[in-house]
Amino acid sequence: MRTIRRVAGLGVTAALLLTACGGGGDTSNDSASGGKIAVGMPIDVTTFDPHKSLTGPFMQYLTPVYDTLIRRTSDAKLEPAVATSWKYTSTDRRTFELKLRSDVTFSDGTKLDAAAVKKNLEHAKADGGPFASSLASVSSVTAPDANTVDLKLSGAVPDLDFVLAGPLGMLVSPKSLTGDALNRTPAGSGPYTLSSSSVPGQRYVYKARKDYWNAKAVGADSLELSVMPDNDARLNALRSGQIDMTVVFPQQAQTVKSAGLQLLSKPLNFLGLGLLDRAGTKAPQLGDVRVRQAMNYAVDRDALVKAVTFGYGTSWNQIFPPSSAGASDTAGKQYPYDLAKAKDLLAKAGYAKGFTLPVFSESRFSSYLEALDGQLRKVGIKLDIKLVQSGLTQSWGTTDNPAPMFVYGVDDVYQAVKLFALKDSAYNPFKADSPAIRKNFEAAEAATDDAARDGAYQKISDEITDQAWFLVTHVQDSLYAVNDKKVSGVEMYTGNSVPFVYGWKVIG
């Protein structure tokens, strides 16, 4: 019998959010389409500080209240936002200039100018968030005039424009950059403000701003994001009209279609286990690379994909998605399904009889983990699965969990390496270090053309895969269900698991 334990949700929950969430006025925007759009959220917000936040579902909490310096469109193109233009102004690409709009204000009435952007970028670098290392090469930020910001770089940042189109480029009122109030009360320049009628941990209500500069970004008068961790409950709420859209999973896709709802999809996340304790500190078995490799050989990825994705997934064994510059043909040939090879490696490592491995995950991935457990048991490895309602992403950054469930997807390989593969990466809590990864990452940073950079990224994937730092089984489509008879303008975004809030309108 499989060992699955369900416990109360961990991580930052309502306890962090006890203070009322006043974020500005509750009046609607004159350019809005009117009405309310209701969204079912699979997890609660962990922080309203964008510089400390992850992406994924959290972007739906953040994009209503924060502008970014540069806007990333649904097809991953970049266009002006608060910054009207941006460029390197030196031939060595060590000075990066941003020109700003002059008509933007924060929801608290503070003017958004170069001085405010300077404070935000300095905060984002120092805030210790999961993406902060992407700004490590920013040695100084200056504001030569009210509408110009210059970044001085000590080293190359290959994707600085994309970095500034994400959470690190979100702009907070300077008045809210100190203290911890920002964790529970957003203060941005975006198209909506968070209403005081919100109930932390349950429901977050956003109201459109009258004075917002970009009419295209505003649709409905109000948004209501309800926390609904149960997958079936969210889908039932959508079918009954209680909500207008929500994230769904492959096993729910046919129900969505049968209900006459719109199903949006885009390949994104890799699924698997992060074999994080690569020195064997808490799980001694993982300290032997042969054990980690055996686990990879023991999984029939094609059979697993067929069983759990219902046609919305592809077998895969790398942390960089197939569409990314880091996808490696060499790595892709590793770990064909081979039970005999897996058993031989385990025997040589001293685990011929197998072992039990603790695995931490959220309840929404229970079916996947049961299927994975069933395959690993064929070589004697049993998963002791601990399920919670929330807290999965937090588990990646602590040494409490030697092998947590991983679900993550980003086409930006530079960012992914910064997050997962360097000794000081946020999601490398046991501080595993690889000279080969460091060498190739430095080569990627120094590269002057795409081919050289991509080649270095692919060598990083080869090393991560060969050393079996992860057990990746497949890439799964991100699915999103929308009542398109009521709501328009909802698009999936390349590199994110849910649509950003931008121009959603109520029909009729």
Side-chain angles (χ1 to χ4, degrees):
M1 183 174 182
R2 294 179 177 84
T3 306
I4 300 181
R5 294 175 286 127
R6 299 176 188 270
V7 299
L10 301 179
V12 183
T13 58
L16 176 68
L17 301 168
L18 291 175
T19 301
C21 294
D26 288 355
T27 54
S28 62
N29 189 304
D30 293 336
S31 64
S33 64
K36 179 184 78 172
I37 294 175
V39 186
M41 302 298 295
I43 53 178
D44 193 8
V45 64
T46 57
T47 178
F48 278 110
D49 181 346
H51 307 149
K52 288 183 178 177
S53 179
L54 279 167
T55 52
F58 303 114
M59 292 297 279
Q60 288 187 336
Y61 291 107
L62 301 178
T63 50
V65 290
Y66 293 113
D67 283 319
T68 47
L69 283 163
I70 301 169
R71 180 173 181 260
R72 185 174 182 176
T73 64
S74 60
D75 57 357
K77 294 178 181 178
L78 299 179
E79 65 180 29
V82 171
T84 58
S85 66
W86 54 93
K87 63 181 179 180
Y88 288 98
T89 57
S90 61
T91 56
D92 62 359
R93 296 170 66 89
R94 294 297 187 268
T95 304
F96 188 81
E97 179 189 82
L98 295 153
K99 290 291 186 179
L100 309 178
R101 298 180 65 92
S102 60
D103 58 349
V104 182
T105 58
F106 293 101
S107 58
D108 63 5
T110 303
K111 184 173 178 58
L112 197 163
D113 57 13
V117 172
K118 169 181 161 63
K119 290 180 180 178
N120 268 269
L121 292 174
E122 291 171 343
H123 179 266
K125 178 182 176 179
D127 207 22
F131 304 116
S133 61
S134 294
L135 296 179
S137 294
V138 177
S139 56
S140 67
V141 183
T142 58
D145 61 57
N147 299 316
T148 305
V149 177
D150 289 331
L151 283 71
K152 297 292 184 181
L153 308 177
S154 60
V157 184
D159 61 347
L160 183 56
D161 47 1
F162 274 86
V163 169
L164 299 180
L168 296 182
M170 288 182 169
L171 300 170
V172 180
S173 172
K175 295 179 180 178
S176 296
L177 287 174
T178 57
D180 64 357
L182 188 59
N183 283 321
R184 54 189 180 271
T185 307
S189 63
Y192 291 85
T193 58
L194 189 67
S195 170
S196 58
S197 64
S198 300
V199 182
Q202 299 179 34
R203 182 181 71 254
Y204 299 89
V205 179
Y206 298 79
K207 299 292 185 178
R209 291 178 60 186
K210 283 184 175 181
D211 57 348
Y212 186 63
W213 62 272
N214 183 8
K216 291 189 301 182
V218 187
D221 287 340
S222 66
L223 309 171
E224 183 173 296
L225 278 57
S226 297
V227 182
M228 299 179 171
D230 186 271
N231 297 336
D232 292 332
R234 285 198 317 278
L235 181 53
N236 288 336
L238 178 60
R239 294 171 67 192
S240 68
Q242 180 183 346
I243 59 175
D244 303 312
M245 64 182 82
T246 191
V247 62
V248 292
F249 288 84
Q251 63 269 29
Q252 299 173 306
Q254 188 55 51
T255 301
V256 171
K257 293 179 179 179
S258 298
L261 299 164
Q262 182 183 28
L263 183 66
L264 305 175
S265 68
K266 185 160 287 191
L268 177 65
N269 290 319
F270 77 82
L271 273 73
L273 301 181
L275 306 181
L276 302 183
D277 188 8
R278 295 148 197 156
T281 305
K282 288 203 168 182
Q285 304 88 351
L286 297 184
D288 192 319
V289 67
R290 293 171 296 186
V291 171
R292 303 194 304 267
Q293 291 171 337
M295 294 177 69
N296 274 273
Y297 279 114
V299 176
D300 184 344
R301 289 172 171 83
D302 290 340
L304 187 69
V305 166
K306 185 176 181 180
V308 302
T309 73
F310 299 84
Y312 292 97
T314 304
S315 298
W316 194 244
N317 68 347
Q318 302 168 60
I319 67 168
F320 307 138
S323 59
S324 75
S328 166
D329 291 339
T330 300
K333 295 174 183 176
Q334 289 194 266
Y335 306 126
Y337 179 48
D338 192 334
L339 286 178
K341 179 74 170 176
K343 290 177 180 178
D344 181 60
L345 285 168
L346 287 172
K348 289 177 178 177
Y351 298 102
K353 295 183 179 181
F355 60 91
T356 298
L357 181 67
V359 170
F360 181 93
S361 181
E362 289 176 357
S363 299
R364 55 197 172 114
F365 299 112
S366 60
S367 297
Y368 164 73
L369 288 172
E370 288 182 39
L372 181 60
D373 176 65
Q375 293 211 4
L376 291 172
R377 282 176 180 251
K378 294 177 182 178
V379 296
I381 299 173
K382 304 173 184 177
L383 302 183
D384 179 10
I385 304 168
K386 177 181 178 181
L387 297 177
V388 298
Q389 287 299 312
S390 64
L392 181 60
T393 53
Q394 293 93 328
S395 74
W396 303 341
T398 77
T399 56
D400 295 335
N401 304 291
M405 161 82 184
F406 260 73
V407 51
Y408 194 83
V410 60
D411 283 333
D412 186 343
V413 181
Y414 181 81
Q415 184 185 90
V417 175
K418 285 273 194 176
L419 275 177
F420 299 121
L422 303 178
K423 186 177 181 180
D424 60 351
S425 291
Y427 299 133
N428 181 13
F430 291 90
K431 305 300 180 184
D433 189 24
S434 164
I437 292 175
R438 279 189 279 111
K439 176 183 176 181
N440 283 294
F441 188 65
E442 290 167 0
E445 288 188 309
T448 57
D449 62 83
D450 290 343
R453 183 176 299 117
D454 294 353
Y457 284 152
Q458 288 160 25
K459 288 179 181 178
I460 292 173
S461 188
D462 292 343
E463 176 71 6
I464 291 173
T465 306
D466 179 66
Q467 293 299 303
W469 279 18
F470 294 81
L471 169 54
V472 176
T473 60
H474 65 285
V475 170
Q476 187 164 295
D477 290 5
S478 288
L479 302 179
Y480 206 76
V482 181
N483 180 354
D484 58 347
K485 296 178 179 61
K486 179 182 175 183
V487 179
S488 66
V490 183
E491 298 179 293
M492 293 297 285
Y493 277 66
T494 298
N496 201 68
S497 60
V498 299
F500 294 172
V501 179
Y502 188 88
W504 295 355
K505 296 185 182 298
V506 176
I507 297 172

